[in-house]
Amino acid sequence: MKQRKVVVTGLGMLSPIGHSVEESWQNALAGKSGIHKVEAFDASAFSSQIWGTVKNFDGGEYVSPKERKKFAEFVQYGMHAAGQAVADAGLKSGSLDYSRVGVAIGSGIGGLNAIENAHLAWQKGGPRRIPPSFIPGAIINMISGIVSIQHGFTGPNFSIVTACTTGTHNIGYSARSIAWGDADVMVCGGAEMASTVLGLGGFAAMRALSTRNDEPEKASRPWDKDRDGFVLGEGAGVLVLESEEHAKARGARIYAELAGFGVSGDAHHITLPDPECKGWNTCITNAMRDAEVNPEDIDYVNAHATSTPAGDELEAKGITTAFGEENAKGLLVSATKSMTGHLLGATGAVEAIFSILAIRDNIVPPTINLDNPIDTVLDLVPHKAREAEIKTVMSNSFGFGGTNGTLIFKEI
């Protein structure tokens, strides 16, 4: 990533706490939870009956009524966030070489709802009832495909799929596409909508979800001793990355530099993290090396912290080990999943945006529901947002299969 400096010039978001970047950010700073009871179907037989959905989504100016019928919801969410990011970056104004603009937006699961609906249609009416748009409307790379078609971007076009690290990996490898000279601009991130019968049932069958059904807003509680699992969420996050030279030449507003990207694998278990945190340490260390920063340079960490009994404590241990205990003492670390729930393939991009806004506004979003914190030297920013001088931020994402990703953003 050292060939060309990469900067962030556009942001777009759709989440359980807002239909835009600013709405989601203000609600995160206010500690507002987006978790609620399942209303889409009778979930009384499910162990977990809560989730964080995007409410009252109508496509807005970025998804037409015809496209809403054709594409699965996760594609629509990606289109919506990408439209916001492209507009925010001003990519449609002035003259751009669109062959130098690429798209990389992925998803962890993809069109689960479309698959369920197509199967039900076949059961009720046979193969002729399966919609012709089923396959192209549900495959994961269709977000990147339709966004490139909408805007005419003919640069690199791909969709990395790495479970809950999807958004982070699409952003990181988009930055490298720019650094290596394959593109000048990349529209990148992740989108997810697995809030369906099979999505809820599948994660519940793994006993991965919170069953605090009577207190939805208190169910996602990273690092709290009474946490009992994550809460399924949905949404999308998209960033516009650009070479610094290109951004300055067209007078673009720059949010931050994407200074470092780290990746690694646990090689341990399909769903559980390595208890020795070796993979996470490698990932975090790789990102700091790539960014050419030391642990004491990091002002804030937006953690992956999903609210699971196993993962949260190990991540705190992994951060402490990677930073060294002296540097980790009092380090500001918070979990915005306490408010959004776990957005799976979208989570890395949404949390990258929150990290960038922490630099912009010099404020750290809180970890809500942290009433009885685990024993750690980290400052987990309980309950309320914290004002602080924030120049360099780390955002962590870890996924099933032992896939890891870390991004580092710096003030510019």
Side-chain angles (χ1 to χ4, degrees), residues 121-132:
W122 167 73
Q123 283 186 316
K124 290 179 179 177
R128 290 189 176 182
R129 297 294 298 273
I130 298 173

Side-chain angles (χ1 to χ4, degrees), residues 135-152:
I135 296 297
I139 57 177
I140 285 175
N141 71 302
M142 192 51 63
I143 313 176
S144 291
I146 190 64
V147 168
S148 71
I149 292 167
Q150 280 183 318
H151 301 284

Side-chain angles (χ1 to χ4, degrees), residues 8-30:
V8 182
T9 58
L11 304 174
M13 186 189 295
L14 185 68
S15 80
I17 55 174
H19 284 199
S20 68
V21 170
E22 289 303 329
E23 185 183 10
S24 298
W25 178 235
Q26 293 307 319
N27 281 329
L29 294 180

Side-chain angles (χ1 to χ4, degrees), residues 97-115:
D97 179 355
Y98 283 4
S99 71
R100 301 287 300 166
V101 183
V103 187
I105 305 171
S107 179
I109 295 178
L112 188 57
N113 202 30
I115 294 169

Side-chain angles (χ1 to χ4, degrees), residues 82-96:
Q84 290 180 27
V86 168
D88 188 44
L91 291 186
K92 301 302 286 186
S93 60
S95 59
L96 277 180

Side-chain angles (χ1 to χ4, degrees), residues 178-300:
I178 295 170
W180 293 338
D182 294 334
D184 293 324
V185 182
M186 289 294 294
V187 181
C188 54
E192 199 77 82
M193 191 284 189
S195 306
T196 73
V197 171
L198 289 182
L200 189 74
F203 285 113
M206 297 171 57
R207 299 182 180 179
L209 299 179
S210 171
T211 59
R212 194 181 288 264
N213 298 319
D214 295 332
E215 297 180 299
E217 294 182 352
K218 296 181 179 179
S220 184
R221 42 195 319 114
W223 298 304
D224 189 86
K225 290 178 180 176
D226 296 324
R227 68 194 184 281
D228 68 337
F230 76 81
V231 179
L232 185 62
E234 63 181 33
V238 175
L239 287 69
V240 173
L241 303 183
E242 196 163 351
S243 76
E244 182 185 40
E245 179 185 29
H246 190 271
K248 287 184 173 179
R250 70 181 186 89
R253 178 263 328 278
I254 296 175
Y255 284 100
E257 176 190 0
L258 174 44
F261 175 45
V263 293
S264 72
D266 280 0
H268 171 69
H269 191 274
I270 59 171
T271 59
L272 297 175
D274 174 11
E276 299 299 322
C277 305
K278 294 177 182 176
W280 293 358
N281 288 341
T282 300
C283 185
I284 291 170
T285 303
N286 285 346
M288 288 194 286
R289 186 190 66 242
D290 191 44
E292 298 181 337
V293 298
N294 297 311
E296 57 268 30
D297 298 322
I298 305 294
D299 299 308
Y300 165 57

